[in-house]
Amino acid sequence: MPEDTKTRMPPRQRMRLALIILSFILYPVTFAYISCPIITEAASQGIASGGLVVFALLFLSSLVVGRIWCGYLCPSGGLQEAFNLALKTPLRTKKAGWLKYLVFAVIYGSLGYAIWSAGGLLTIDLLYRTEHGISILAPLGVVAFLGPVTIITVFTLIFGKRGFCHTFCPIAVMLMIGRKIRNLAGWPALRISANASRCIDCMKCSKECPMSLDVNGMVRKNEMENADCILCGACMDTCPKGAITFSWMEKAGVRS
C-alpha cells in the first residue's frame, strides 16, 4: 500500500532534518569554528580564529535571513532535533529564557576583553585549534568536543524540545540582535508571512514548530515576526490551507 501522505514528512522538512543532523554528525570536525571558548582563547593571543570569522558571517547573515542557521545548519540544533525525534519531549518552560542573555553577556564580554587585553587582533589563523582543519584532532580536542555536547544534552533533557536554544545558546542571542537591527532599519529580509483569512485553526502549525511557538496565535494577530523563529518552514509545510508562506519583508508586525 502507498504511504499515507497525511503522515509523511514534507520534503523540505526531510531535507532540513537531514542537513541539521548531518551538521551534528560533522561536529567533531567543525566545533572549533563555532566554539566560544576557543574563539576567546585565540583572541586573548591577538589571533582572529576561523571561529571568529564564522561568527562575523553568521551575524551578517542574520541581518537578512534571521536565525535560518538555527533551523538548517546548527550542530547543536541537529542534536536537539535528534532528541526530539527519539523522545518527543515538549518544551517544559520558557521561564528560563533569561539565562541565555546572561550567558551571551558573559561570553561576548569575555571575548571583547580578550581582544582589548591583547592589544587588538594582530593576525589571522583560520585553522586555530585544529589539526589539518579537523577540530577533534587538536590537542585536548576530545575534551573540547564533549564539553558542549554534554551541556546541550543536559539542557535538552531538562527543558525538552530545543531546550538548549531557549535557555543557554549565546549564538541564538547574537542572531536575535542581528534580526532586531534589521527590524529597526527596515531593509528587505526573509520572513514568514500569513493570510489569516485562510486559517482554519487546526493548530498544526503550532504543534509542528520546533521552537514551540504559538504560530496559530501569531497568524491570527498578524504578528509573524518573532525573535524565537528559526525560519525552518515547518509551520507552512504542515498548513493544510497554505495560509503561511515565506516572503521578503520591508516592514512587519514585530513581537520580541
Side-chain angles (χ1 to χ4, degrees), residues 9 17 21 78-89:
M9 183 178 292
L17 285 174
I21 292 175
L79 178 55
Q80 293 174 90
E81 295 277 2
F83 272 120
N84 184 53
L85 287 172
L87 303 177
K88 303 293 183 183
T89 305

Side-chain angles (χ1 to χ4, degrees), residues 65-68 71-72 179 190-192 229-233 246:
V65 293
R67 292 180 60 184
I68 203 166
Y72 284 82
R179 186 63 166 195
L190 186 66
R191 68 167 294 197
I192 288 177
C229 177
I230 57 175
L231 296 174
C232 66
F246 277 129

Side-chain angles (χ1 to χ4, degrees), residues 10-244:
R12 175 164 46 201
Q13 294 309 307
R14 291 202 302 270
M15 178 200 72
R16 184 184 75 81
L17 285 174
L19 284 174
I20 202 167
I21 292 175
L22 176 62
S23 180
F24 173 68
I25 292 171
L26 294 174
Y27 195 37
V29 175
T30 63
F31 69 82
Y33 302 102
I34 52 174
S35 168
C36 297
I38 291 175
I39 293 169
T40 302
E41 176 188 280
S44 69
Q45 302 171 50
I47 300 172
S49 66
L52 188 61
V53 174
V54 169
F55 270 32
L57 293 175
L58 286 176
F59 178 74
L60 291 174
S61 73
S62 72
L63 300 174
V64 179
V65 293
R67 292 180 60 184
I68 203 166
W69 156 265
C70 304
Y72 284 82
L73 293 171
C74 176
S76 68
L79 178 55
Q80 293 174 90
E81 295 277 2
F83 272 120
N84 184 53
L85 287 172
L87 303 177
K88 303 293 183 183
T89 305
L91 180 67
R92 294 188 173 97
T93 180
K94 292 185 179 182
K95 292 181 179 180
W98 59 270
L99 180 59
K100 65 179 177 289
Y101 297 100
L102 177 60
V103 173
F104 171 84
V106 170
I107 287 179
Y108 285 80
S110 299
L111 176 59
Y113 178 76
I115 294 172
W116 176 80
S117 63
L121 298 172
L122 308 176
T123 186
I124 298 176
D125 183 357
L126 298 180
L127 302 180
Y128 182 83
R129 287 275 260 146
T130 72
E131 184 67 34
H132 303 295
I134 299 176
S135 303
I136 205 165
L137 296 182
L140 298 177
V142 174
V143 175
F145 169 71
L146 292 178
V149 170
T150 300
I151 293 172
I152 295 164
T153 299
V154 168
F155 274 81
T156 304
L157 293 177
I158 291 174
F159 292 102
K161 191 176 181 180
R162 283 269 184 165
F164 175 80
C165 294
H166 282 287
T167 60
F168 199 87
C169 183
I171 297 178
V173 177
M174 178 181 72
L175 302 183
M176 291 163 69
I177 291 172
R179 186 63 166 195
K180 288 181 182 293
I181 291 172
R182 179 271 142 205
N183 288 338
L184 290 172
W187 56 68
L190 186 66
R191 68 167 294 197
I192 288 177
S193 60
N195 183 344
S197 65
R198 292 186 178 183
C199 179
I200 58 173
D201 293 314
C202 66
M203 307 299 293
K204 290 181 178 180
C205 53
S206 296
K207 180 181 178 181
E208 293 300 321
C209 177
M211 294 299 290
S212 303
L213 301 180
D214 178 18
V215 183
N216 180 258
M218 292 162 59
V219 171
R220 285 302 186 186
K221 295 176 183 178
N222 192 30
E223 294 179 348
M224 299 306 295
E225 182 68 7
N226 188 297
D228 284 326
C229 177
I230 57 175
L231 296 174
C232 66
C235 55
M236 66 186 69
D237 289 335
T238 196
C239 179
K241 297 297 182 181
I244 309 171

